[in-house]
Amino acid sequence: MSDTTTGRREPTLPDGWELVCGLEVHVELSTATKLFCGCPNEFGAEPNTNVCPTCLGLPGSLPVMNGAAVTSAMRLGRALDCRVQPSVMARKNYFYPDMPKDFQTSQYDQPTNEDGHLDLPDGTTIRVERAHIEEDTGKSTHVGGDGRITSAEYSLIDYNRAGVPLLEIVSHPDIRTAEEAKAYVAELRGIVLALDVSDARMEEGSMRVDANVSVRPVGSDELRTRCEIKNINSLSSLGRAIVHEANRHVDLWTTGERPLQETRHWDEEAGRTRSGRSKEDAEDYRYFPEPDLTPLQPSEVDLEAVDASIPELPAQTRARLADVAGVTPPEVGLIVDRGQASFALDAIDSGADAGRVLVHLTNNLADGVGEMSSSAFAGLVAMEVGGELSSTQTKEVLADMVATGRDAPVVAAEKGFEAMDTSELEGLLDGLIADHPGEWERFSTGDEGDAKKMAGFFTGQIMKATRGQADGKVVAQLLNSRK
Amino acid sequence: MSKLSRDDVAHVARLAMLDLSEAEIDTFTAQLGDVLETADAMAELDLASVEPTHHPLGLVNVVRPDDVRPSLDRDEVLSQAPEAEDGRFRVPPALGEE
Amino acid sequence: MSDSPAAPAAFGTAVEIASAVKAGERSALGVLEEHLGRIGAHESSVHAFNAVIEDEARSRAMEIDDAIASGAEVGALAGVPVAIKDNMCTRGVPTTCSSRILDGWKPPYDATVVTRLREAGAIVVGKTNLDEFAMGSSTENSAFGPTHNPWDLTRVPGGSSGGSAAAVAAGFSPISLGSDTGGSIRQPASLCGVVGVKPTYGAVSRYGLIAFGSSLDQIGPFTTDVHDAAVIMDTIGGHDPLDSTSATDGHGSLESVLSDGVDGLRVGLITEMTGGAIDGIAPDVLARVRAAAEALAAAGATVGEVSVPSSVYGLSAYYMVAPAEASSNLARFDGVRYGLRVDGSNTAAMHTATRTEGFGDEVKRRIMLGTYALSAGYRDAYYGSAQKVRTLIIEDFDRAYADFDVLLSPASPTTAFEMGAKTADPLAMYLNDVCTIPSNLSGQPAMSVPFGTGDDGLPIGVQVLAPLMGEPVMFRVAAALEAAQRLEDGESR
Ligand SMILES: [Mg+2]
Ligand SMILES: [Zn+2]
């Protein structure tokens, strides 16, 4: 995910063409129960054990709206600066074996949230058209053939997921590069996690992204035929799928053909999109208001409570951490995305060098801080900056602290990492100069390149002699002082 | 209103997943056409400024607490299935031969 | 008609049975056996039931008797046999909607009304026949064959709850439950000479009622008298957290208002349905409605006429709204999870084969009609306009109720008609509901009260209509009509 926050840009398309992309992101809400019934909303249960008359769509069953799901939806709406408004559930009618009622209960022309926006870390604004409540479907497993839907002999259906509450967040087609698309999803995920409304795991399917992709000549404002890409299972797939699909469109347009408006599936292995089944009849979902549910009309009091429940969001956290650390917000993006911002702030607050804190969190603590407390971490950084530990030693001590939660001095002492006496290094260097006079000559009087190369040579020799225990910074100072 | 055609009936039958014989399409076209003709009487009314009624009682904000209730016994559920396998409902392939 | 199987309350009303059972004068099992005996004698000619559940009913009756013997609390309907329309879920007991598509299905749960009746001590004796998925007005559209009117076996009992109406008229059970989407309780009640109530929308839980038109459907009782109807309403009504459209503020006890009389009540005859804009209402039916108004006036009410002009558009609106909702409600019958499956080479082919074979013609007609009414390009003109007509009907009723406490009309335009008379012409069949449909569109309560007979000697029901949650005043009027009819019967004897 690192390239989403460091702002690395790749040209998505050939010169003269521009990507026009909007995203539909489905987020499974982490409520205790499903959207319309009291069945547990949990991932990984035995098939068809979390089912009841309502979520199985049995004849005679009726839905009752989960109030917690509505609250989560309104909170996300406010976090995306949407208008949070009265809403109506509707039925979207189409046949699908994973969908027990053969209609999906979803919001349609009156969604809970409309007209918001999401600002990417680099400042780009992507408009959010709507964020609405709907129910999830069950899950099919295709059996026989090569396991793909197209060749299966039969399918098996598990309805545990049927009726799980979803929020569908629909962006305007404001996205212009694959990197922006990834940044949008990463930022949305950060907001969802900050709100604690979903665990938003793409690999488990609790966050799913469909991309509407079209292209146009740069400078035009037309909207050409778009394709909806489904089956995208990770951020990197999202980027690859968009680049592939957009280039496919450019190829078609430039050879005088045109893309068909259709749903396409991303084939991760083949690295390409494939056409879904073409339908004889244009889709006609025959939406109408769900007569078994009542309209939702949040009061001023409800909305005030929702506002009061919105925590600090990633953009604010980035700004706060960047301010404290004296860097720009994108530089702390990864730390905030990983949920390590408050750890970083606590460590800096305990007196740790902000620069080293950011470096360690970004590069050495990707898998989390484990058992280590922020104050213990601050102690380690202090030892490192004070020259008591070399950077290699610091890393080793850090790994131990993450695993055990012990304090830095204890670990350092156990590992025998005593600060090396400078006089010892001076003696070592004297010997090296005597043994390598030519190299020393090149270091002291050679051009910049030569000096750099020879500094590396002498540092390496010292490290070898001390088995890596010498502090690189101290060695560099020593070398320069003898120049 | 436009007159209901055989094609309309065939289209609607496809949407509803019903297979009609040619003779049935003829019969249904005539019968449904009669009903639609009586429905066309509504066009006499000026409905432009009338709000629709979807809920006779006008209830709003009916929600339940997020509390778990017991689910059904899987064996009881699957015993009702035309075909089941491995704790799941079995169906023909999604895209088998037509 | 001496050999007709009609014998309402053959073994007493529900109130009489429950009080005798609770007093130890009759046993629940004894009462049950009396009814099962009648079913054994006449069911083959009436065909009120899709299933009679004798064994389960017997063990339940013995439980009630044991409870009474041990001095335990038993409910208001202790030992009362009840027949349930076969579109309400009964756990472990096949529930078919009189359709092949639910072949073999045993619901894993009970409808809320069934739970409430059982908790009150009632004994479910069977599941009654209906027009498939409650779509019809004659109970001829059943996959299991038609039900016959107990008063004249060559005639229809009305529908769609014809089995439940016939069961009570034949004395198979003192009470039964039906469902009413466009008149499916009131019209058969009228044709079978029993009391039938369509409660205010939301007054009785729909949980476990297999949906036809979700914004119109209501469950209600068939009984032989108004008192029983009030007791059943008090038993099955009230808020149910499993139904989002269930009212939180109900109308209170109905049994307690029955003796309040009608003195000072304002009763309005609906002009359009009593010789006005709506044609096809038989003179003998009209005569009885006018007689009912006179009887109420004699009992102290003031009677007038009132116009509900948009009610003439009720049929048009209903035949868009109900099929539209039905087309969606009946999508789930797809051969995947329960009931019939007809195989196909892929899921779509299987769905299509199952539905084509599983649904009868009337159900297919309504599914297609509703699909059309919702489809792109037609939704606003048909479904959309129909929902607006509902608003006009509600506004017209509101104006009428500013001047009147209750309204009167026929429940059915005619007495029971010959079997087969209207099966070839759907539109003619739909016209049976012309007087009942407006109350479903408005959500307001209405009931049919037996009020004498027509020229053919067959029963006629008068429809009493009331505003939302106006059941108390509606029942007071019904009780007064019943009293007047008893007086008339006594005089003519
Ligand atoms: Mg969606
Ligand atoms: Zn459930």
mmCIF file of all heavy atoms in Angstrom, chain C residues 87-120:
data_model
loop_
_atom_site.group_PDB
_atom_site.id
_atom_site.type_symbol
_atom_site.label_atom_id
_atom_site.label_comp_id
_atom_site.label_asym_id
_atom_site.label_seq_id
_atom_site.Cartn_x
_atom_site.Cartn_y
_atom_site.Cartn_z
ATOM 1 N N ASN C 87 -52.506 -20.319 4.146
ATOM 2 C CA ASN C 87 -51.410 -19.421 3.763
ATOM 3 C C ASN C 87 -50.764 -18.825 5.011
ATOM 4 O O ASN C 87 -50.065 -17.837 4.940
ATOM 5 C CB ASN C 87 -51.899 -18.311 2.813
ATOM 6 C CG ASN C 87 -52.954 -17.409 3.440
ATOM 7 O OD1 ASN C 87 -53.461 -17.689 4.532
ATOM 8 N ND2 ASN C 87 -53.288 -16.331 2.739
ATOM 9 N N MET C 88 -51.045 -19.473 6.180
ATOM 10 C CA MET C 88 -50.401 -19.041 7.418
ATOM 11 C C MET C 88 -49.545 -20.189 7.914
ATOM 12 O O MET C 88 -49.969 -21.351 7.923
ATOM 13 C CB MET C 88 -51.451 -18.679 8.471
ATOM 14 C CG MET C 88 -52.287 -17.473 8.044
ATOM 15 S SD MET C 88 -53.639 -17.140 9.174
ATOM 16 C CE MET C 88 -54.880 -16.575 8.004
ATOM 17 N N CYS C 89 -48.321 -19.852 8.332
ATOM 18 C CA CYS C 89 -47.354 -20.893 8.650
ATOM 19 C C CYS C 89 -47.698 -21.603 9.951
ATOM 20 O O CYS C 89 -48.017 -20.972 10.966
ATOM 21 C CB CYS C 89 -45.957 -20.290 8.752
ATOM 22 S SG CYS C 89 -45.338 -19.796 7.136
ATOM 23 N N THR C 90 -47.630 -22.934 9.884
ATOM 24 C CA THR C 90 -47.835 -23.781 11.047
ATOM 25 C C THR C 90 -46.645 -24.723 11.100
ATOM 26 O O THR C 90 -46.377 -25.450 10.155
ATOM 27 C CB THR C 90 -49.131 -24.594 10.885
ATOM 28 O OG1 THR C 90 -49.220 -25.058 9.536
ATOM 29 C CG2 THR C 90 -50.353 -23.763 11.216
ATOM 30 N N ARG C 91 -45.915 -24.657 12.200
ATOM 31 C CA ARG C 91 -44.660 -25.386 12.286
ATOM 32 C C ARG C 91 -44.872 -26.891 12.126
ATOM 33 O O ARG C 91 -45.687 -27.493 12.826
ATOM 34 C CB ARG C 91 -43.989 -25.110 13.623
ATOM 35 C CG ARG C 91 -42.657 -25.828 13.725
ATOM 36 C CD ARG C 91 -41.799 -25.322 14.827
ATOM 37 N NE ARG C 91 -40.472 -25.919 14.668
ATOM 38 C CZ ARG C 91 -39.413 -25.555 15.331
ATOM 39 N NH1 ARG C 91 -39.497 -24.584 16.191
ATOM 40 N NH2 ARG C 91 -38.264 -26.161 15.122
ATOM 41 N N GLY C 92 -44.121 -27.471 11.189
ATOM 42 C CA GLY C 92 -44.158 -28.910 10.982
ATOM 43 C C GLY C 92 -45.403 -29.408 10.276
ATOM 44 O O GLY C 92 -45.525 -30.602 10.009
ATOM 45 N N VAL C 93 -46.351 -28.509 9.990
ATOM 46 C CA VAL C 93 -47.585 -28.891 9.298
ATOM 47 C C VAL C 93 -47.548 -28.262 7.904
ATOM 48 O O VAL C 93 -47.337 -27.054 7.780
ATOM 49 C CB VAL C 93 -48.830 -28.386 10.064
ATOM 50 C CG1 VAL C 93 -50.100 -28.647 9.263
ATOM 51 C CG2 VAL C 93 -48.895 -29.037 11.432
ATOM 52 N N PRO C 94 -47.740 -29.083 6.864
ATOM 53 C CA PRO C 94 -47.641 -28.544 5.506
ATOM 54 C C PRO C 94 -48.469 -27.274 5.342
ATOM 55 O O PRO C 94 -49.597 -27.181 5.841
ATOM 56 C CB PRO C 94 -48.190 -29.671 4.636
ATOM 57 C CG PRO C 94 -47.887 -30.905 5.405
ATOM 58 C CD PRO C 94 -48.028 -30.517 6.864
ATOM 59 N N THR C 95 -47.879 -26.308 4.683
ATOM 60 C CA THR C 95 -48.519 -25.022 4.412
ATOM 61 C C THR C 95 -48.358 -24.798 2.921
ATOM 62 O O THR C 95 -47.235 -24.714 2.430
ATOM 63 C CB THR C 95 -47.838 -23.914 5.244
ATOM 64 O OG1 THR C 95 -48.013 -24.241 6.631
ATOM 65 C CG2 THR C 95 -48.424 -22.556 4.964
ATOM 66 N N THR C 96 -49.482 -24.758 2.203
ATOM 67 C CA THR C 96 -49.389 -24.895 0.744
ATOM 68 C C THR C 96 -49.811 -23.679 -0.057
ATOM 69 O O THR C 96 -49.520 -23.601 -1.245
ATOM 70 C CB THR C 96 -50.299 -26.051 0.262
ATOM 71 O OG1 THR C 96 -51.669 -25.660 0.444
ATOM 72 C CG2 THR C 96 -50.027 -27.335 1.031
ATOM 73 N N CYS C 97 -50.573 -22.758 0.535
ATOM 74 C CA CYS C 97 -51.199 -21.683 -0.258
ATOM 75 C C CYS C 97 -52.027 -22.264 -1.402
ATOM 76 O O CYS C 97 -52.277 -21.590 -2.402
ATOM 77 C CB CYS C 97 -50.162 -20.705 -0.810
ATOM 78 S SG CYS C 97 -49.516 -19.592 0.420
ATOM 79 N N SER C 98 -52.445 -23.522 -1.273
ATOM 80 C CA SER C 98 -53.184 -24.222 -2.334
ATOM 81 C C SER C 98 -52.458 -24.152 -3.673
ATOM 82 O O SER C 98 -53.071 -24.024 -4.722
ATOM 83 C CB SER C 98 -54.614 -23.672 -2.476
ATOM 84 O OG SER C 98 -55.380 -24.041 -1.350
ATOM 85 N N SER C 99 -51.132 -24.232 -3.580
ATOM 86 C CA SER C 99 -50.306 -24.164 -4.786
ATOM 87 C C SER C 99 -49.412 -25.390 -4.864
ATOM 88 O O SER C 99 -48.936 -25.881 -3.836
ATOM 89 C CB SER C 99 -49.423 -22.919 -4.744
ATOM 90 O OG SER C 99 -48.616 -22.850 -5.897
ATOM 91 N N ARG C 100 -49.180 -25.848 -6.068
ATOM 92 C CA ARG C 100 -48.235 -26.958 -6.236
ATOM 93 C C ARG C 100 -46.819 -26.527 -5.914
ATOM 94 O O ARG C 100 -45.964 -27.348 -5.604
ATOM 95 C CB ARG C 100 -48.296 -27.463 -7.679
ATOM 96 C CG ARG C 100 -49.656 -28.037 -8.039
ATOM 97 C CD ARG C 100 -49.620 -28.606 -9.434
ATOM 98 N NE ARG C 100 -48.541 -29.591 -9.564
ATOM 99 C CZ ARG C 100 -48.052 -30.001 -10.727
ATOM 100 N NH1 ARG C 100 -48.520 -29.525 -11.849
ATOM 101 N NH2 ARG C 100 -47.084 -30.896 -10.752
ATOM 102 N N ILE C 101 -46.567 -25.221 -6.000
ATOM 103 C CA ILE C 101 -45.173 -24.780 -5.865
ATOM 104 C C ILE C 101 -44.648 -24.966 -4.442
ATOM 105 O O ILE C 101 -43.441 -25.007 -4.229
ATOM 106 C CB ILE C 101 -44.991 -23.325 -6.352
ATOM 107 C CG1 ILE C 101 -43.563 -23.168 -6.891
ATOM 108 C CG2 ILE C 101 -45.315 -22.306 -5.259
ATOM 109 C CD1 ILE C 101 -43.387 -22.099 -7.905
ATOM 110 N N LEU C 102 -45.554 -25.082 -3.462
ATOM 111 C CA LEU C 102 -45.101 -25.312 -2.088
ATOM 112 C C LEU C 102 -45.177 -26.788 -1.713
ATOM 113 O O LEU C 102 -45.145 -27.132 -0.524
ATOM 114 C CB LEU C 102 -45.896 -24.434 -1.115
ATOM 115 C CG LEU C 102 -45.282 -23.042 -0.947
ATOM 116 C CD1 LEU C 102 -46.240 -22.099 -0.235
ATOM 117 C CD2 LEU C 102 -43.967 -23.134 -0.180
ATOM 118 N N ASP C 103 -45.221 -27.611 -2.725
ATOM 119 C CA ASP C 103 -45.340 -29.052 -2.552
ATOM 120 C C ASP C 103 -44.431 -29.589 -1.436
ATOM 121 O O ASP C 103 -43.215 -29.482 -1.506
ATOM 122 C CB ASP C 103 -44.973 -29.719 -3.888
ATOM 123 C CG ASP C 103 -45.161 -31.222 -3.837
ATOM 124 O OD1 ASP C 103 -46.135 -31.658 -3.196
ATOM 125 O OD2 ASP C 103 -44.337 -31.951 -4.414
ATOM 126 N N GLY C 104 -45.058 -30.130 -0.399
ATOM 127 C CA GLY C 104 -44.288 -30.812 0.646
ATOM 128 C C GLY C 104 -43.662 -29.909 1.688
ATOM 129 O O GLY C 104 -43.004 -30.391 2.603
ATOM 130 N N TRP C 105 -43.859 -28.606 1.573
ATOM 131 C CA TRP C 105 -43.162 -27.696 2.501
ATOM 132 C C TRP C 105 -43.773 -27.716 3.890
ATOM 133 O O TRP C 105 -44.975 -27.560 4.054
ATOM 134 C CB TRP C 105 -43.177 -26.268 1.971
ATOM 135 C CG TRP C 105 -42.376 -25.331 2.844
ATOM 136 C CD1 TRP C 105 -41.077 -25.481 3.221
ATOM 137 C CD2 TRP C 105 -42.843 -24.120 3.440
ATOM 138 N NE1 TRP C 105 -40.695 -24.426 4.021
ATOM 139 C CE2 TRP C 105 -41.752 -23.575 4.173
ATOM 140 C CE3 TRP C 105 -44.056 -23.421 3.435
ATOM 141 C CZ2 TRP C 105 -41.849 -22.373 4.889
ATOM 142 C CZ3 TRP C 105 -44.150 -22.231 4.142
ATOM 143 C CH2 TRP C 105 -43.054 -21.724 4.862
ATOM 144 N N LYS C 106 -42.918 -27.935 4.888
ATOM 145 C CA LYS C 106 -43.336 -27.830 6.291
ATOM 146 C C LYS C 106 -42.582 -26.677 6.917
ATOM 147 O O LYS C 106 -41.373 -26.752 7.111
ATOM 148 C CB LYS C 106 -43.014 -29.125 7.038
ATOM 149 C CG LYS C 106 -43.836 -30.313 6.585
ATOM 150 C CD LYS C 106 -43.413 -31.557 7.354
ATOM 151 C CE LYS C 106 -44.160 -32.784 6.865
ATOM 152 N NZ LYS C 106 -43.526 -34.026 7.363
ATOM 153 N N PRO C 107 -43.271 -25.600 7.239
ATOM 154 C CA PRO C 107 -42.572 -24.424 7.779
ATOM 155 C C PRO C 107 -41.860 -24.770 9.087
ATOM 156 O O PRO C 107 -42.386 -25.550 9.888
ATOM 157 C CB PRO C 107 -43.692 -23.418 8.055
ATOM 158 C CG PRO C 107 -44.868 -23.897 7.279
ATOM 159 C CD PRO C 107 -44.718 -25.378 7.155
ATOM 160 N N PRO C 108 -40.701 -24.182 9.312
ATOM 161 C CA PRO C 108 -40.011 -24.396 10.595
ATOM 162 C C PRO C 108 -40.452 -23.398 11.665
ATOM 163 O O PRO C 108 -39.775 -23.241 12.665
ATOM 164 C CB PRO C 108 -38.540 -24.186 10.215
ATOM 165 C CG PRO C 108 -38.582 -23.205 9.089
ATOM 166 C CD PRO C 108 -39.886 -23.442 8.354
ATOM 167 N N TYR C 109 -41.571 -22.718 11.434
ATOM 168 C CA TYR C 109 -42.018 -21.731 12.427
ATOM 169 C C TYR C 109 -43.522 -21.519 12.306
ATOM 170 O O TYR C 109 -44.127 -21.846 11.296
ATOM 171 C CB TYR C 109 -41.261 -20.410 12.251
ATOM 172 C CG TYR C 109 -41.678 -19.570 11.068
ATOM 173 C CD1 TYR C 109 -42.342 -18.358 11.256
ATOM 174 C CD2 TYR C 109 -41.419 -19.977 9.758
ATOM 175 C CE1 TYR C 109 -42.721 -17.572 10.179
ATOM 176 C CE2 TYR C 109 -41.797 -19.194 8.667
ATOM 177 C CZ TYR C 109 -42.450 -18.004 8.890
ATOM 178 O OH TYR C 109 -42.836 -17.231 7.825
ATOM 179 N N ASP C 110 -44.099 -20.963 13.402
ATOM 180 C CA ASP C 110 -45.519 -20.641 13.440
ATOM 181 C C ASP C 110 -45.736 -19.154 13.156
ATOM 182 O O ASP C 110 -44.965 -18.312 13.627
ATOM 183 C CB ASP C 110 -46.090 -20.907 14.848
ATOM 184 C CG ASP C 110 -46.449 -22.376 15.061
ATOM 185 O OD1 ASP C 110 -46.866 -23.030 14.091
ATOM 186 O OD2 ASP C 110 -46.301 -22.839 16.212
ATOM 187 N N ALA C 111 -46.806 -18.854 12.446
ATOM 188 C CA ALA C 111 -47.232 -17.459 12.319
ATOM 189 C C ALA C 111 -47.578 -16.925 13.709
ATOM 190 O O ALA C 111 -48.007 -17.690 14.589
ATOM 191 C CB ALA C 111 -48.444 -17.363 11.403
ATOM 192 N N THR C 112 -47.411 -15.618 13.902
ATOM 193 C CA THR C 112 -47.719 -15.018 15.207
ATOM 194 C C THR C 112 -49.169 -15.277 15.619
ATOM 195 O O THR C 112 -49.450 -15.584 16.785
ATOM 196 C CB THR C 112 -47.434 -13.498 15.173
ATOM 197 O OG1 THR C 112 -46.035 -13.320 14.970
ATOM 198 C CG2 THR C 112 -47.856 -12.819 16.464
ATOM 199 N N VAL C 113 -50.101 -15.199 14.663
ATOM 200 C CA VAL C 113 -51.513 -15.427 15.020
ATOM 201 C C VAL C 113 -51.730 -16.856 15.507
ATOM 202 O O VAL C 113 -52.539 -17.100 16.411
ATOM 203 C CB VAL C 113 -52.473 -15.138 13.840
ATOM 204 C CG1 VAL C 113 -52.577 -13.646 13.586
ATOM 205 C CG2 VAL C 113 -52.069 -15.890 12.576
ATOM 206 N N VAL C 114 -51.010 -17.791 14.910
ATOM 207 C CA VAL C 114 -51.153 -19.198 15.331
ATOM 208 C C VAL C 114 -50.611 -19.361 16.744
ATOM 209 O O VAL C 114 -51.231 -20.004 17.601
ATOM 210 C CB VAL C 114 -50.419 -20.122 14.332
ATOM 211 C CG1 VAL C 114 -50.364 -21.561 14.848
ATOM 212 C CG2 VAL C 114 -51.103 -20.066 12.958
ATOM 213 N N THR C 115 -49.466 -18.750 17.004
ATOM 214 C CA THR C 115 -48.896 -18.796 18.351
ATOM 215 C C THR C 115 -49.887 -18.221 19.368
ATOM 216 O O THR C 115 -50.111 -18.799 20.434
ATOM 217 C CB THR C 115 -47.585 -17.973 18.390
ATOM 218 O OG1 THR C 115 -46.708 -18.495 17.394
ATOM 219 C CG2 THR C 115 -46.929 -18.036 19.748
ATOM 220 N N ARG C 116 -50.486 -17.086 19.018
ATOM 221 C CA ARG C 116 -51.392 -16.428 19.975
ATOM 222 C C ARG C 116 -52.663 -17.260 20.212
ATOM 223 O O ARG C 116 -53.156 -17.330 21.339
ATOM 224 C CB ARG C 116 -51.731 -15.008 19.492
ATOM 225 C CG ARG C 116 -50.507 -14.104 19.618
ATOM 226 C CD ARG C 116 -50.788 -12.658 19.295
ATOM 227 N NE ARG C 116 -49.551 -11.895 19.483
ATOM 228 C CZ ARG C 116 -49.407 -10.598 19.231
ATOM 229 N NH1 ARG C 116 -50.439 -9.901 18.791
ATOM 230 N NH2 ARG C 116 -48.261 -10.000 19.437
ATOM 231 N N LEU C 117 -53.171 -17.874 19.151
ATOM 232 C CA LEU C 117 -54.355 -18.732 19.339
ATOM 233 C C LEU C 117 -54.012 -19.923 20.220
ATOM 234 O O LEU C 117 -54.768 -20.295 21.111
ATOM 235 C CB LEU C 117 -54.876 -19.218 17.988
ATOM 236 C CG LEU C 117 -55.663 -18.203 17.153
ATOM 237 C CD1 LEU C 117 -55.992 -18.793 15.790
ATOM 238 C CD2 LEU C 117 -56.948 -17.784 17.883
ATOM 239 N N ARG C 118 -52.861 -20.537 19.959
ATOM 240 C CA ARG C 118 -52.458 -21.698 20.765
ATOM 241 C C ARG C 118 -52.274 -21.306 22.215
ATOM 242 O O ARG C 118 -52.685 -22.032 23.125
ATOM 243 C CB ARG C 118 -51.156 -22.288 20.219
ATOM 244 C CG ARG C 118 -51.369 -23.045 18.923
ATOM 245 C CD ARG C 118 -50.239 -24.053 18.697
ATOM 246 N NE ARG C 118 -50.564 -24.923 17.567
ATOM 247 C CZ ARG C 118 -49.819 -25.052 16.478
ATOM 248 N NH1 ARG C 118 -48.673 -24.388 16.385
ATOM 249 N NH2 ARG C 118 -50.183 -25.854 15.508
ATOM 250 N N GLU C 119 -51.631 -20.132 22.428
ATOM 251 C CA GLU C 119 -51.422 -19.680 23.810
ATOM 252 C C GLU C 119 -52.753 -19.441 24.515
ATOM 253 O O GLU C 119 -52.847 -19.581 25.737
ATOM 254 C CB GLU C 119 -50.567 -18.402 23.831
ATOM 255 C CG GLU C 119 -49.087 -18.718 23.624
ATOM 256 C CD GLU C 119 -48.242 -17.479 23.349
ATOM 257 O OE1 GLU C 119 -48.820 -16.368 23.262
ATOM 258 O OE2 GLU C 119 -47.011 -17.640 23.229
ATOM 259 N N ALA C 120 -53.781 -19.107 23.739
ATOM 260 C CA ALA C 120 -55.106 -18.882 24.338
ATOM 261 C C ALA C 120 -55.875 -20.184 24.514
ATOM 262 O O ALA C 120 -57.029 -20.173 24.967
ATOM 263 C CB ALA C 120 -55.907 -17.906 23.468
#
